[in-house]
PDB file of all heavy atoms in Angstrom:
ATOM      1  N   HIS A1469     -65.137 -59.933-157.272  1.00 97.00           N
ATOM      2  CA  HIS A1469     -66.169 -60.166-156.158  1.00 97.00           C
ATOM      3  C   HIS A1469     -66.515 -58.826-155.542  1.00 97.00           C
ATOM      4  O   HIS A1469     -65.698 -57.862-155.394  1.00 97.00           O
ATOM      5  CB  HIS A1469     -65.541 -61.085-155.163  1.00 97.00           C
ATOM      6  CG  HIS A1469     -66.456 -61.674-154.191  1.00 97.00           C
ATOM      7  ND1 HIS A1469     -66.977 -60.958-153.121  1.00 97.00           N
ATOM      8  CD2 HIS A1469     -67.085 -62.894-154.157  1.00 97.00           C
ATOM      9  CE1 HIS A1469     -67.832 -61.662-152.439  1.00 97.00           C
ATOM     10  NE2 HIS A1469     -67.862 -62.872-153.008  1.00 97.00           N
ATOM     11  N   GLU A1470     -67.721 -58.760-155.087  1.00 96.00           N
ATOM     12  CA  GLU A1470     -68.310 -57.475-154.458  1.00 96.00           C
ATOM     13  C   GLU A1470     -67.604 -57.114-153.137  1.00 96.00           C
ATOM     14  O   GLU A1470     -67.489 -56.079-152.761  1.00 96.00           O
ATOM     15  CB  GLU A1470     -69.771 -57.600-154.282  1.00 96.00           C
ATOM     16  CG  GLU A1470     -70.693 -57.457-155.584  1.00 96.00           C
ATOM     17  CD  GLU A1470     -70.520 -58.700-156.431  1.00 96.00           C
ATOM     18  OE1 GLU A1470     -70.226 -59.825-155.929  1.00 96.00           O
ATOM     19  OE2 GLU A1470     -70.798 -58.643-157.649  1.00 96.00           O
ATOM     20  N   LYS A1471     -67.168 -58.111-152.494  1.00 95.00           N
ATOM     21  CA  LYS A1471     -66.494 -57.763-151.149  1.00 95.00           C
ATOM     22  C   LYS A1471     -65.354 -58.899-150.953  1.00 95.00           C
ATOM     23  O   LYS A1471     -65.428 -59.742-150.041  1.00 95.00           O
ATOM     24  CB  LYS A1471     -67.543 -58.018-150.060  1.00 95.00           C
ATOM     25  CG  LYS A1471     -67.138 -57.436-148.773  1.00 95.00           C
ATOM     26  CD  LYS A1471     -67.109 -55.907-148.689  1.00 95.00           C
ATOM     27  CE  LYS A1471     -66.914 -55.375-147.351  1.00 95.00           C
ATOM     28  NZ  LYS A1471     -66.951 -53.908-147.311  1.00 95.00           N
ATOM     29  N   PRO A1472     -64.256 -58.733-151.638  1.00 97.00           N
ATOM     30  CA  PRO A1472     -63.134 -59.729-151.508  1.00 97.00           C
ATOM     31  C   PRO A1472     -62.346 -59.506-150.190  1.00 97.00           C
ATOM     32  O   PRO A1472     -61.711 -60.452-149.725  1.00 97.00           O
ATOM     33  CB  PRO A1472     -62.269 -59.336-152.609  1.00 97.00           C
ATOM     34  CG  PRO A1472     -62.537 -57.970-153.154  1.00 97.00           C
ATOM     35  CD  PRO A1472     -63.981 -57.759-152.742  1.00 97.00           C
ATOM     36  N   PHE A1473     -62.406 -58.361-149.519  1.00 96.00           N
ATOM     37  CA  PHE A1473     -61.749 -58.143-148.316  1.00 96.00           C
ATOM     38  C   PHE A1473     -62.565 -57.526-147.216  1.00 96.00           C
ATOM     39  O   PHE A1473     -63.335 -56.476-147.562  1.00 96.00           O
ATOM     40  CB  PHE A1473     -60.515 -57.226-148.536  1.00 96.00           C
ATOM     41  CG  PHE A1473     -59.473 -57.762-149.579  1.00 96.00           C
ATOM     42  CD1 PHE A1473     -59.430 -57.168-150.843  1.00 96.00           C
ATOM     43  CD2 PHE A1473     -58.616 -58.800-149.287  1.00 96.00           C
ATOM     44  CE1 PHE A1473     -58.584 -57.740-151.797  1.00 96.00           C
ATOM     45  CE2 PHE A1473     -57.736 -59.202-150.145  1.00 96.00           C
ATOM     46  CZ  PHE A1473     -57.710 -58.763-151.370  1.00 96.00           C
ATOM     47  N   LYS A1474     -62.658 -58.128-146.096  1.00 94.00           N
ATOM     48  CA  LYS A1474     -63.472 -57.593-144.993  1.00 94.00           C
ATOM     49  C   LYS A1474     -62.764 -56.251-144.446  1.00 94.00           C
ATOM     50  O   LYS A1474     -61.677 -56.208-144.412  1.00 94.00           O
ATOM     51  CB  LYS A1474     -63.605 -58.545-143.934  1.00 94.00           C
ATOM     52  CG  LYS A1474     -64.632 -58.227-142.808  1.00 94.00           C
ATOM     53  CD  LYS A1474     -64.739 -59.340-141.774  1.00 94.00           C
ATOM     54  CE  LYS A1474     -65.735 -58.985-140.734  1.00 94.00           C
ATOM     55  NZ  LYS A1474     -65.955 -60.029-139.701  1.00 94.00           N
ATOM     56  N   GLY A1475     -63.612 -55.296-144.133  1.00 91.00           N
ATOM     57  CA  GLY A1475     -63.055 -54.124-143.401  1.00 91.00           C
ATOM     58  C   GLY A1475     -62.717 -52.960-144.367  1.00 91.00           C
ATOM     59  O   GLY A1475     -62.374 -51.970-143.792  1.00 91.00           O
ATOM     60  N   VAL A1476     -62.693 -53.260-145.667  1.00 92.00           N
ATOM     61  CA  VAL A1476     -62.320 -52.140-146.636  1.00 92.00           C
ATOM     62  C   VAL A1476     -63.510 -52.079-147.622  1.00 92.00           C
ATOM     63  O   VAL A1476     -64.368 -53.024-147.794  1.00 92.00           O
ATOM     64  CB  VAL A1476     -61.027 -52.346-147.333  1.00 92.00           C
ATOM     65  CG1 VAL A1476     -59.881 -52.298-146.283  1.00 92.00           C
ATOM     66  CG2 VAL A1476     -60.981 -53.590-148.188  1.00 92.00           C
ATOM     67  N   ASN A1477     -63.562 -51.103-148.513  1.00 91.00           N
ATOM     68  CA  ASN A1477     -64.552 -50.956-149.493  1.00 91.00           C
ATOM     69  C   ASN A1477     -64.722 -52.214-150.424  1.00 91.00           C
ATOM     70  O   ASN A1477     -63.764 -52.699-150.781  1.00 91.00           O
ATOM     71  CB  ASN A1477     -64.403 -49.709-150.356  1.00 91.00           C
ATOM     72  CG  ASN A1477     -64.751 -48.520-149.674  1.00 91.00           C
ATOM     73  OD1 ASN A1477     -64.910 -48.441-148.433  1.00 91.00           O
ATOM     74  ND2 ASN A1477     -64.823 -47.316-150.380  1.00 91.00           N
ATOM     75  N   GLY A1478     -65.966 -52.444-150.650  1.00 93.00           N
ATOM     76  CA  GLY A1478     -66.253 -53.536-151.642  1.00 93.00           C
ATOM     77  C   GLY A1478     -66.330 -52.966-153.065  1.00 93.00           C
ATOM     78  O   GLY A1478     -66.132 -51.614-153.323  1.00 93.00           O
ATOM     79  N   SER A1479     -66.547 -53.616-154.095  1.00 94.00           N
ATOM     80  CA  SER A1479     -66.587 -53.068-155.495  1.00 94.00           C
ATOM     81  C   SER A1479     -68.105 -53.181-156.035  1.00 94.00           C
ATOM     82  O   SER A1479     -68.735 -54.195-155.901  1.00 94.00           O
ATOM     83  CB  SER A1479     -65.721 -53.995-156.332  1.00 94.00           C
ATOM     84  OG  SER A1479     -64.402 -53.852-155.951  1.00 94.00           O
ATOM     85  N   GLY A1480     -68.506 -52.188-156.659  1.00 93.00           N
ATOM     86  CA  GLY A1480     -69.760 -52.103-157.377  1.00 93.00           C
ATOM     87  C   GLY A1480     -69.580 -51.878-158.832  1.00 93.00           C
ATOM     88  O   GLY A1480     -68.441 -51.778-159.408  1.00 93.00           O
ATOM     89  N   LYS A1481     -70.697 -51.853-159.481  1.00 95.00           N
ATOM     90  CA  LYS A1481     -70.743 -51.550-160.922  1.00 95.00           C
ATOM     91  C   LYS A1481     -71.855 -50.509-161.145  1.00 95.00           C
ATOM     92  O   LYS A1481     -73.093 -50.935-161.360  1.00 95.00           O
ATOM     93  CB  LYS A1481     -70.967 -52.817-161.770  1.00 95.00           C
ATOM     94  CG  LYS A1481     -71.006 -52.540-163.245  1.00 95.00           C
ATOM     95  CD  LYS A1481     -71.168 -53.803-163.991  1.00 95.00           C
ATOM     96  CE  LYS A1481     -69.978 -54.787-163.874  1.00 95.00           C
ATOM     97  NZ  LYS A1481     -70.095 -56.029-164.550  1.00 95.00           N
ATOM     98  N   HIS A1482     -71.630 -49.282-160.970  1.00 95.00           N
ATOM     99  CA  HIS A1482     -72.608 -48.281-161.136  1.00 95.00           C
ATOM    100  C   HIS A1482     -73.167 -48.266-162.445  1.00 95.00           C
ATOM    101  O   HIS A1482     -72.471 -48.099-163.431  1.00 95.00           O
ATOM    102  CB  HIS A1482     -72.016 -46.841-160.589  1.00 95.00           C
ATOM    103  CG  HIS A1482     -71.631 -46.822-159.225  1.00 95.00           C
ATOM    104  ND1 HIS A1482     -71.049 -45.742-158.660  1.00 95.00           N
ATOM    105  CD2 HIS A1482     -71.573 -47.842-158.278  1.00 95.00           C
ATOM    106  CE1 HIS A1482     -70.640 -45.971-157.433  1.00 95.00           C
ATOM    107  NE2 HIS A1482     -70.976 -47.210-157.179  1.00 95.00           N
ATOM    108  N   ASN A1483     -74.431 -48.264-162.551  1.00 96.00           N
ATOM    109  CA  ASN A1483     -75.140 -48.176-163.901  1.00 96.00           C
ATOM    110  C   ASN A1483     -75.799 -46.803-164.112  1.00 96.00           C
ATOM    111  O   ASN A1483     -76.871 -46.443-163.385  1.00 96.00           O
ATOM    112  CB  ASN A1483     -76.346 -49.265-163.890  1.00 96.00           C
ATOM    113  CG  ASN A1483     -75.722 -50.741-164.124  1.00 96.00           C
ATOM    114  OD1 ASN A1483     -76.367 -51.548-164.810  1.00 96.00           O
ATOM    115  ND2 ASN A1483     -74.558 -50.978-163.727  1.00 96.00           N
ATOM    116  N   ASN A1484     -75.208 -46.050-164.871  1.00 96.00           N
ATOM    117  CA  ASN A1484     -75.601 -44.638-165.195  1.00 96.00           C
ATOM    118  C   ASN A1484     -76.618 -44.827-166.436  1.00 96.00           C
ATOM    119  O   ASN A1484     -76.167 -45.111-167.487  1.00 96.00           O
ATOM    120  CB  ASN A1484     -74.408 -43.756-165.510  1.00 96.00           C
ATOM    121  CG  ASN A1484     -73.625 -43.471-164.323  1.00 96.00           C
ATOM    122  OD1 ASN A1484     -73.970 -42.626-163.588  1.00 96.00           O
ATOM    123  ND2 ASN A1484     -72.504 -44.269-164.138  1.00 96.00           N
ATOM    124  N   TRP A1485     -77.829 -44.604-166.176  1.00 98.00           N
ATOM    125  CA  TRP A1485     -78.915 -44.833-167.126  1.00 98.00           C
ATOM    126  C   TRP A1485     -79.611 -43.527-167.471  1.00 98.00           C
ATOM    127  O   TRP A1485     -79.853 -42.586-166.688  1.00 98.00           O
ATOM    128  CB  TRP A1485     -80.014 -45.808-166.468  1.00 98.00           C
ATOM    129  CG  TRP A1485     -81.238 -45.944-167.149  1.00 98.00           C
ATOM    130  CD1 TRP A1485     -81.500 -46.536-168.453  1.00 98.00           C
ATOM    131  CD2 TRP A1485     -82.553 -45.491-166.640  1.00 98.00           C
ATOM    132  NE1 TRP A1485     -82.896 -46.484-168.623  1.00 98.00           N
ATOM    133  CE2 TRP A1485     -83.531 -45.877-167.663  1.00 98.00           C
ATOM    134  CE3 TRP A1485     -82.860 -44.851-165.506  1.00 98.00           C
ATOM    135  CZ2 TRP A1485     -84.836 -45.587-167.437  1.00 98.00           C
ATOM    136  CZ3 TRP A1485     -84.280 -44.505-165.315  1.00 98.00           C
ATOM    137  CH2 TRP A1485     -85.252 -44.919-166.294  1.00 98.00           C
ATOM    138  N   SER A1486     -79.859 -43.352-168.790  1.00 98.00           N
ATOM    139  CA  SER A1486     -80.609 -42.287-169.238  1.00 98.00           C
ATOM    140  C   SER A1486     -81.454 -42.749-170.515  1.00 98.00           C
ATOM    141  O   SER A1486     -81.314 -43.717-171.126  1.00 98.00           O
ATOM    142  CB  SER A1486     -79.638 -41.167-169.812  1.00 98.00           C
ATOM    143  OG  SER A1486     -78.726 -41.539-170.753  1.00 98.00           O
ATOM    144  N   LEU A1487     -82.356 -41.866-170.889  1.00 98.00           N
ATOM    145  CA  LEU A1487     -83.224 -42.031-172.131  1.00 98.00           C
ATOM    146  C   LEU A1487     -83.098 -40.874-172.999  1.00 98.00           C
ATOM    147  O   LEU A1487     -83.257 -39.738-172.566  1.00 98.00           O
ATOM    148  CB  LEU A1487     -84.764 -42.229-171.625  1.00 98.00           C
ATOM    149  CG  LEU A1487     -85.092 -43.447-170.800  1.00 98.00           C
ATOM    150  CD1 LEU A1487     -86.584 -43.366-170.348  1.00 98.00           C
ATOM    151  CD2 LEU A1487     -84.816 -44.755-171.636  1.00 98.00           C
TER     152      LEU A1487
END
Side-chain angles (χ1 to χ4, degrees):
H1469 193 284
E1470 286 74 20
K1471 196 74 171 179
F1473 301 103
K1474 187 177 182 180
V1476 298
N1477 280 16
S1479 297
K1481 181 180 295 179
H1482 298 178
N1483 282 212
N1484 292 275
W1485 166 69
S1486 59
L1487 296 174

